[in-house]
Amino acid sequence: MATNVPVLVGPVQLRYVQSMTVTEGYRIERIMGSRFSQATQPTNKTIVIEAVLLGPQRLTQKKELEALALVSRLLVAAVAPALAASGIPVVSGLTISLDMQITDLRFTQSVAKREALDVSITLQQVPRSSLSAVLGEVADLRLAAATAAVPSGPAANPIARSLGSFI
């Protein structure tokens, strides 16, 4: 049985992530005096995480996520001193993204799941410096290279096709 590797949002470990979406794009601008357009710079990266907080620590995790979502950098820095110089790091098997900031945080509790909280977290990249942006991209490239080197599933098992009873 494989271990459940958590998604880290700052210091908070999300063990039961249901889905994670990373959205990236590029700003397209028209070249002056020409009919051509060119991608000039990346737009902000957005990450949406849907997870379930389970067990007795679910309310503590809720408070930790709320503390990370504080708007004031000074308040965030007081909670986690390492965040004063950079944003919230998000580390998962899909991406390593530094300088993220929580823009939307939603908790849902239902009758069907009394001992659990569903959480939806939207983070947007807010680079603090060009150095941290470069470090984040280098970490993401290393993750991609390491993931490509690890086999992710069983080899394909081709099944011979025949017309059989259709002839």
Side-chain angles (χ1 to χ4, degrees):
M1 178 183 280
T3 59
N4 186 7
V5 178
V7 171
L8 297 175
V9 177
V12 182
Q13 292 185 14
L14 300 175
R15 292 204 168 273
Y16 305 101
V17 173
Q18 305 302 303
S19 68
M20 183 173 181
T21 305
V22 178
T23 305
E24 296 180 87
Y26 293 90
R27 181 171 296 143
I28 306 296
E29 294 185 17
R30 205 166 192 102
I31 298 173
M32 286 192 349
S34 172
R35 60 185 174 106
F36 298 106
S37 297
Q38 178 178 356
T40 58
Q41 63 185 7
T43 58
N44 285 341
K45 180 188 293 187
T46 302
I47 299 175
V48 178
I49 301 170
E50 303 287 336
V52 179
L53 305 179
L54 293 174
Q57 72 277 11
R58 69 186 179 281
L59 295 177
T60 303
Q61 286 181 311
K62 176 183 177 284
K63 289 298 180 191
E64 289 172 346
L65 289 170
E66 288 171 342
L68 283 175
L70 291 175
V71 177
S72 169
R73 279 180 60 189
L74 294 175
L75 291 174
V76 172
V79 173
L83 298 179
S86 67
I88 300 167
V90 176
V91 179
S92 71
L94 178 62
T95 185
I96 296 175
S97 299
L98 307 176
D99 292 339
M100 302 301 290
Q101 184 64 47
I102 295 174
T103 59
D104 186 47
L105 186 59
R106 184 180 67 232
F107 297 99
T108 306
Q109 187 172 27
S110 66
V111 173
K113 296 190 270 184
R114 291 185 189 265
E115 298 298 317
L117 292 174
D118 292 327
V119 61
S120 175
I121 307 166
T122 303
L123 300 108
Q124 187 170 10
Q125 187 175 32
V126 185
R128 307 276 196 255
S129 69
S130 58
L131 175 62
S132 66
V134 169
L135 289 175
E137 290 303 317
V138 168
D140 211 18
L141 285 171
R142 286 188 176 176
L143 175 68
T147 303
V150 176
S152 62
N157 186 10
I159 300 173
R161 304 288 181 188
S162 65
L163 293 175
S165 64
F166 294 113
I167 297 183

